[in-house]
Amino acid sequence: MNVIAAIVFPLDDNDLKSKFEKQENTKISTIKERVSLWKDKVASDWYWVFDRSVKEFSTFRRQIVEQTAKDGFVIEFVVLCGSDYVKVKRAPVGAWSCEKIIVSDISRPADFFGPGMATPKTIEGYKDWKKVDFDIGHLSAKARDDAAMVLARLSFISLGILESMREEGMDIQFPSCTWHPCSTFHLDAISDKMDELTDELLQRFVDESTAIWICVSETNPRYTIRFIPANVSVKPISCTLIREIIGGSSKSDLVKALEGLALNNDLVVKYIGGAT
């Protein structure tokens, strides 16, 4: 599986209102506000926050698949979720019209896996878990490509620093270079580090791949769940926990109380009417 990007999909306003309609004194943040929590604090070049409705997403999904297919690419959408979405007694099949699900216990414990367990518990409706098979040739190529990209970026950063020093009046000389906008010295240094970084990345990719479990639907082998265990002690994070903290904290203490939990604690406090 070659994951190249992620789309964060906040619930529609109406869906969120329906979810909490029986709870009193619950403030419902608009989708615009919830999207801003991601965009204003956790900017990234590999994920995108979808700020429109479910119906519009269906249209977007169809169009992006059709357009990329014209250039010879196959785009497949995969559900990425937390362990509250996949449980021993309940797991979706074909969620969001996707055949594959990726789940992790990074944000909260899973009821099908925990400390001291050698193998995850079987999910109802799915076969027993097995380790994911991986292609060492594919991982090797990916490691070398990623190493080249990292070192190329570093070379451009180094060049930018030298240019800034020269602009400040320092006597900086740039050796001639025929194909790359940096010095021959930099290219030699990059070449020396290429194999070392490639080996490090390959080992990391192999370690990550051997840790992944997969189970297949009993009724349709196209439907699968991949489980990526966190293997670290993490602080549980959930919307329920954040709501409890908001309800039990003074407005003046909220920013600090939400630190490490909310995407943007300052903005959350602002939206609920507290002081920042």
Side-chain angles (χ1 to χ4, degrees), residues 20 23 26-27 29 37-38 107-108 235-250 253-255 257-269 272:
F20 296 105
Q23 297 188 20
T26 299
K27 175 178 172 55
S29 298
L37 295 177
W38 286 87
S107 62
R108 67 183 73 191
K235 184 177 182 179
I237 299 175
S238 70
C239 295
T240 301
L241 175 61
I242 291 175
R243 288 196 301 273
E244 290 175 351
I245 291 174
I246 291 174
S249 304
S250 64
D253 295 333
L254 263 182
V255 173
L258 293 173
E259 188 172 349
L261 294 173
L263 286 171
N264 188 328
N265 46 340
D266 292 302
L267 208 50
V268 168
V269 173
I272 64 174

Side-chain angles (χ1 to χ4, degrees), residues 130-182:
K130 295 181 179 180
K131 287 287 189 174
V132 170
D133 294 329
F134 61 90
D135 183 345
I136 190 65
H138 171 74
L139 294 183
S140 297
K142 177 174 172 53
R144 191 155 189 87
D145 289 345
D146 286 6
M149 180 178 66
V150 169
L151 293 175
R153 287 182 176 180
L154 288 176
S155 71
F156 279 108
I157 292 173
S158 299
L159 178 63
I161 293 173
L162 292 176
E163 289 177 336
S164 297
M165 293 171 65
R166 187 173 63 174
E167 289 173 358
E168 292 176 3
M170 299 182 185
D171 185 18
I172 302 296
Q173 301 297 322
F174 291 89
S176 61
C177 180
T178 58
W179 65 276
H180 196 284
C182 62

Side-chain angles (χ1 to χ4, degrees), residues 65-180:
V65 170
E66 291 174 351
Q67 293 301 316
T68 52
K70 292 179 180 179
D71 293 326
F73 295 98
V74 177
I75 298 293
E76 181 181 13
F77 285 80
V78 178
V79 174
L80 174 63
C81 62
S83 53
D84 56 326
Y85 198 63
V86 174
K87 296 180 178 293
V88 171
K89 297 290 186 180
R90 188 195 76 237
V93 176
W96 293 92
S97 301
C98 295
E99 296 179 353
K100 297 180 176 65
I101 295 174
I102 299 176
V103 61
S104 178
D105 57 353
I106 188 66
S107 62
R108 67 183 73 191
D111 74 343
F112 57 86
F113 189 75
M117 295 180 61
T119 307
K121 296 179 182 178
T122 302
I123 304 295
E124 285 193 5
Y126 286 81
K127 298 180 181 179
D128 291 342
W129 294 93
K130 295 181 179 180
K131 287 287 189 174
V132 170
D133 294 329
F134 61 90
D135 183 345
I136 190 65
H138 171 74
L139 294 183
S140 297
K142 177 174 172 53
R144 191 155 189 87
D145 289 345
D146 286 6
M149 180 178 66
V150 169
L151 293 175
R153 287 182 176 180
L154 288 176
S155 71
F156 279 108
I157 292 173
S158 299
L159 178 63
I161 293 173
L162 292 176
E163 289 177 336
S164 297
M165 293 171 65
R166 187 173 63 174
E167 289 173 358
E168 292 176 3
M170 299 182 185
D171 185 18
I172 302 296
Q173 301 297 322
F174 291 89
S176 61
C177 180
T178 58
W179 65 276
H180 196 284

Side-chain angles (χ1 to χ4, degrees), residues 13 54 217 263:
D13 291 344
V54 175
S217 168
L263 286 171

